[in-house]
Amino acid sequence: MRALGLRIFAISALTLVWVLLWGRFSVPNIVMGAVVATVILVVLPMPPVPVQGRLHLIPLIKLIGLFGWYLAVSSIQLMWLAVRPGPPPQTGVLRVELSIKSDLVLVLASAITTLIPGSMVLEIDQVRRILYCHVIDVGSPQSVARFYHQARQVERLLIDAFERDEDWQPAGRTA
C-alpha cells in the first residue's frame, strides 16, 4: 500500500511540474502531464530507496514553518548585503556534520540548506554524514554561529519528523 501511495505521489508531483512548466492549468495539460509522468516512471525507474521510520506530523509542520521563516529572514539579509555600502561580504565554505541516518533525509537536509538564500551545499559526504556548504556571510563569528544554529535546527526537526530512534530499525528488518 505504501508503494502505491509513493507512486501516486510521484506521478502527482511530476504532473504538477509539467503543468507549472507549461504555465496553464487545463484538463489537456494535466492529462498530458500525467501521461508523461507515468511514462517517465515506467521507462526510467529509480532504484528503490529504503524508507524507514514513521512520519511525525507536528515536527514536520514546525520544519515547514521554520523553513518559511528562514526563507524570509535570509532573503532580507541578502538584500541588505547587496545594497549596503562597503565591501562585499566575506564568503566561505563551512562543514556541517550531521547525525542523520537515512540517505533520503540527508538529501532533504541538503535541499533545505540549498534553498535557504545565502547558502548552497557544494558536496555531500554520504559516508561521514557531512555537508560542505558555501555561505555568503562568514565575516563575523555571529554570522557563522547563526548559520550553524540554523543547520542544527533544521537537522533536529528532520530527525524529529522522520528518524526518531524509537521508530528506527536497521535496514532489511520489518516490524
Side-chain angles (χ1 to χ4, degrees), residues 93-103 106-107 123-133 152 155:
V93 176
L94 300 178
R95 182 177 69 195
V96 180
E97 297 178 12
L98 301 172
S99 57
I100 290 173
K101 300 171 191 147
S102 163
D103 288 345
L106 181 65
V107 169
E123 183 179 347
I124 301 173
D125 185 338
Q126 181 183 3
V127 174
R128 295 186 303 165
R129 300 296 196 219
I130 297 174
L131 300 179
Y132 293 94
C133 304
R152 292 288 164 241
E155 175 189 25

Side-chain angles (χ1 to χ4, degrees), residues 84-156:
R84 73 177 181 161
Q90 183 178 358
T91 63
V93 176
L94 300 178
R95 182 177 69 195
V96 180
E97 297 178 12
L98 301 172
S99 57
I100 290 173
K101 300 171 191 147
S102 163
D103 288 345
L104 189 60
V105 178
L106 181 65
V107 169
L108 187 56
S110 170
I112 290 171
T113 302
T114 297
L115 288 172
I116 295 173
S119 61
M120 182 172 77
V121 175
L122 300 174
E123 183 179 347
I124 301 173
D125 185 338
Q126 181 183 3
V127 174
R128 295 186 303 165
R129 300 296 196 219
I130 297 174
L131 300 179
Y132 293 94
C133 304
H134 180 268
V135 181
I136 286 187
D137 186 16
V138 295
S140 69
Q142 294 85 6
S143 319
V144 174
R146 184 174 45 243
F147 171 77
Y148 280 124
H149 175 72
Q150 174 181 311
R152 292 288 164 241
Q153 277 190 308
V154 169
E155 175 189 25
R156 182 181 46 80

Side-chain angles (χ1 to χ4, degrees), residues 67-81 115-119 146 150:
F67 177 63
W69 171 254
Y70 281 148
L71 280 176
V73 169
S74 296
S75 296
I76 292 167
Q77 289 170 342
L78 275 181
M79 181 185 66
W80 171 245
L81 288 173
L115 288 172
I116 295 173
S119 61
R146 184 174 45 243
Q150 174 181 311

Side-chain angles (χ1 to χ4, degrees), residues 2 50-54 101-102 162-175:
R2 189 176 196 174
V51 178
Q52 299 172 318
R54 291 182 15 202
K101 300 171 191 147
S102 163
F162 299 106
E163 294 189 338
R164 291 188 182 174
D165 285 335
E166 63 268 17
D167 298 331
W168 195 259
Q169 297 177 7
R173 286 187 44 204
T174 57

